[in-house]
Amino acid sequence: MQQWNSRQRQTPGTILVVGTVGFDDIETPFGSVRGVLGGSASYFAAAASLYAPVRLVAVVGSDMPSDTLDFLRERGVDLRGLQVAEGKTFRWGGRYGYDLNSRDTLFTELGVYEGFRPVTHPEYAESEFVFLANIHPALQQEVLGQVRRPRLTMMDSMNLWIETARDALTDTMRRVDMVCLNDSEAREFAGTSSLLTAARRILALGPKVVLIKKGECGAVMVTDDEYFVAPAYPLEEARDPTGAGDSFAGGFLGYLAQHDGDITPDVLKRAVIHGSAVASFTVEEFSLDRLRRLTRAEVERRYWEFTRLTYFDDVVRD
Amino acid sequence: MQQWNSRQRQTPGTILVVGTVGFDDIETPFGSVRGVLGGSASYFAAAASLYAPVRLVAVVGSDMPSDTLDFLRERGVDLRGLQVAEGKTFRWGGRYGYDLNSRDTLFTELGVYEGFRPVTHPEYAESEFVFLANIHPALQQEVLGQVRRPRLTMMDSMNLWIETARDALTDTMRRVDMVCLNDSEAREFAGTSSLLTAARRILALGPKVVLIKKGECGAVMVTDDEYFVAPAYPLEEARDPTGAGDSFAGGFLGYLAQHDGDITPDVLKRAVIHGSAVASFTVEEFSLDRLRRLTRAEVERRYWEFTRLTYFDDVVRD
């Protein structure tokens, strides 16, 4: 990460994402939908493609209509890494509580993800940015091994892997530049109730940046030198938090890819705000409905609204 | 509140607080204590007295050692409104969960608060600032009626009164300038999962400012024109959240009392940060242990640290 400042690029870096593409059944206090598009890679790609070229590695079943991801194609997402396998597409069902902060998983049907081996397209090996969305940490490492010289790698995970594949998960953490988890996952992984302590324990494994997602409380970024808090954008109506975390990661990494040549601490903080801004649109509607028609200009406007949410006095600089 | 800008004062305004003074039994993952000083008025007064003169209205039983509140006296807190009644001092017991965000009340023994009538000292009628800490809303109104011409009034409450004295609580809200609640209370009172909507419903009753306390997520201030988010200060070791909300209110209102003549939107935001700063010290140790020796200079240093927690870009001003 030291050499980040030494280059200037004119074009955004290319982002490789591996994760799930599937169908969701979602119940929130504001309605329920069945069989809608979901999956970590879908949300991430829809968000990140507002900023930079995205390559997607995932698998869908033969039951997914071939035009389902056309809106991603239209945004320039490279889908040559999307496998179509005989069988059923991944399905997930979840139900959210009254304040949308609690979620119960109702079912997870792996379908074609059972036995999935992520084999990326040969060209993908030259990707500059890599996002390992929430899949088995061993698969995350397989993908890492297929990218020749990434400039920046980031991973997400979930409680399932903390509980069932902790060693592999820790290995993946040791190999990436950035770790992105939600607050309960960070606490569980690090075995502490303090998020700051949890972040520092993860930093001690090697990553330079830890991002902790806190739902309606926003997100926190911790590095060796900085602790940065991004609020969540205040919404009168948040309808469906599904994918908020992955679109947060997409806005964050997308912004970094766009500013590839100059990733300073301030750029990192602005990237967190971009992630928060994109995520705030995601939760306004079910599934990827809002993300589908979201524009970079809308995100930019919301970014500037964020400056007013937390400003109270001029910052003391070192 | 319109006339706030029209005056300039050289000395801080005087703050009247009514609330509880009692003994707490507290269990957190980091230890437990029994019979320690607690109560909303104690925490508030300890915090606010760092900024401005404080007058305290409460009742304690004959079992409370007479030197218990000496540290408040030494800070100039006027205790002439503290009644000593035959009987037992108020006692509360609570247990906190792993991440300190959840709390179970184990017992509440009203003791001398059973039948308490807050009769303030005659001189208190001229208090400029009033904080109605968490007591029955009818008692809050009694105190309001005893202050002649307050410049600014603020109230707190709790789920018990929302559920058992909703009409009286709503009446109190209609009569104060500022309402301070935690997030679950705001949601419960307003019957909505959106904190923004909840705040707006309370503003519609008359108050000009709604403060929503969110524990380790900080606090939010909502007015007709502004939405301001204050993070919680990152701590490696938060030991006991008891009193965090009341000391937040004390830092907030104390700062306003100190800036009595010039309560602009920016001063309000800085007051929220002062509240957050004081609260962050409170939770570092059990009971009022940290507050007892806290200095205004320490709070000021932490205030400036807060500027760095959320800064990412220059604010767009109107």
Side-chain angles (χ1 to χ4, degrees), chain B residues 95-128:
Chain B
R95 182 191 292 139
Y96 293 87
Y98 177 60
D99 63 8
L100 299 180
N101 285 324
S102 62
R103 172 168 94 180
D104 292 324
T105 286
L106 299 178
F107 64 85
T108 305
E109 296 171 7
L110 286 179
V112 291
Y113 273 89
E114 197 111 43
F116 170 58
R117 297 299 296 271
V119 179
T120 70
H121 188 277
E123 262 185 42
Y124 289 12
E126 302 301 330
S127 303
E128 283 113 344

Side-chain angles (χ1 to χ4, degrees), chain A:
Chain A
M1 308 239 299
Q2 274 67 20
Q3 74 246 61
W4 279 357
N5 292 320
S6 63
R7 303 167 53 191
Q8 279 292 345
R9 292 177 58 96
Q10 297 305 313
T11 53
T14 298
I15 307 173
L16 170 68
V17 55
V18 59
T20 52
V21 173
F23 294 121
D24 288 346
D25 291 357
I26 299 164
E27 297 174 35
T28 85
F30 309 101
S32 63
V33 291
R34 298 179 71 85
V36 295
L37 180 63
S40 55
S42 310
Y43 280 102
F44 178 90
S49 59
L50 293 171
Y51 298 83
V54 175
R55 295 156 167 173
L56 187 147
V57 177
V59 61
V60 296
S62 42
D63 58 343
M64 179 174 272
S66 60
D67 61 353
T68 307
L69 298 183
D70 278 357
F71 77 102
L72 289 179
R73 266 191 203 92
E74 284 160 19
R75 257 185 211 175
V77 176
D78 181 340
L79 296 176
R80 287 176 297 174
L82 180 70
Q83 304 169 29
V84 182
E86 200 58 45
K88 287 198 163 180
T89 296
F90 177 86
R91 295 186 73 97
W92 175 82
R95 182 190 293 141
Y96 293 86
Y98 177 61
D99 64 5
L100 299 179
N101 285 325
S102 61
R103 173 168 92 181
D104 291 324
T105 287
L106 299 178
F107 63 85
T108 304
E109 295 171 9
L110 286 180
V112 291
Y113 273 89
E114 197 111 44
F116 170 58
R117 297 299 296 269
V119 180
T120 71
H121 188 276
E123 264 185 39
Y124 289 12
E126 302 302 331
S127 303
E128 282 115 343
F129 291 76
V130 178
F131 182 58
L132 309 169
N134 171 30
I135 54 173
H136 193 290
L139 297 184
Q140 292 179 319
Q141 290 178 48
E142 276 194 36
V143 172
L144 268 190
Q146 295 174 46
V147 182
R148 209 182 313 267
R149 207 177 299 107
R151 295 234 307 124
L152 196 161
T153 55
M154 181 159 113
M155 67 174 290
D156 193 0
S157 193
M158 70 183 293
N159 56 345
L160 176 65
W161 312 127
I162 296 171
E163 289 152 19
T164 65
R166 188 182 170 85
D167 289 349
L169 176 62
T170 307
D171 282 344
T172 311
M173 284 190 186
R174 289 185 204 281
R175 294 180 57 185
V176 296
D177 299 311
M178 301 186 174
V179 171
C180 182
L181 293 173
N182 72 34
D183 47 358
S184 65
E185 292 159 358
R187 286 194 168 98
E188 182 176 356
F189 178 78
T192 170
S193 64
S194 162
L195 286 181
L196 181 56
T197 304
R200 288 190 173 152
R201 287 181 185 168
I202 295 170
L203 289 174
L205 295 174
K208 299 294 181 205
V209 175
V210 172
L211 287 167
I212 299 177
K213 301 169 286 182
K214 301 177 73 178
E216 70 147 23
C217 287
V220 168
M221 179 173 69
V222 189
T223 68
D224 281 341
D225 309 313
E226 305 257 8
Y227 186 95
F228 176 66
V229 184
Y233 185 80
L235 291 170
E236 291 246 27
E237 295 196 327
R239 277 195 191 79
D240 175 15
T242 309
D246 294 304
S247 49
F248 168 82
F252 173 81
L253 213 56
Y255 184 83
L256 291 186
Q258 196 177 29
H259 292 76
D260 186 8
D262 188 27
I263 300 180
T264 62
D266 272 356
V267 168
L268 282 173
K269 291 174 188 176
R270 290 166 193 165
V272 174
I273 299 296
H274 272 268
S276 300
V278 173
S280 73
F281 285 107
T282 302
V283 303
E284 287 181 1
E285 299 182 19
F286 279 90
S287 180
L288 286 88
D289 291 356
R290 186 66 183 90
L291 273 182
R292 283 172 193 271
R293 59 175 204 281
L294 185 61
T295 66
R296 186 70 170 73
E298 287 177 309
V299 180
E300 196 69 21
R301 276 196 295 277
R302 194 157 284 186
Y303 171 88
W304 288 109
E305 290 184 63
F306 268 85
T307 62
R308 294 185 57 88
L309 292 180
T310 53
Y311 175 80
F312 62 93
D313 213 329
D314 294 324
V315 68
V316 177
R317 293 168 191 276
D318 296 324

Side-chain angles (χ1 to χ4, degrees), chain B residues 7-8 13 28 51 59 66 69 73-74 94 108 117 138 142 145 151 153 189-190 221 228 241 253 255 261-262 296:
Chain B
R7 303 169 53 190
Q8 280 291 346
T28 85
Y51 297 83
V59 62
S66 60
L69 298 182
R73 267 191 202 90
E74 284 160 21
T108 305
R117 297 299 296 271
E142 276 194 38
R151 295 236 306 126
T153 55
F189 177 78
M221 179 173 67
F228 175 67
L253 212 57
Y255 184 82
D262 188 27
R296 184 72 171 74

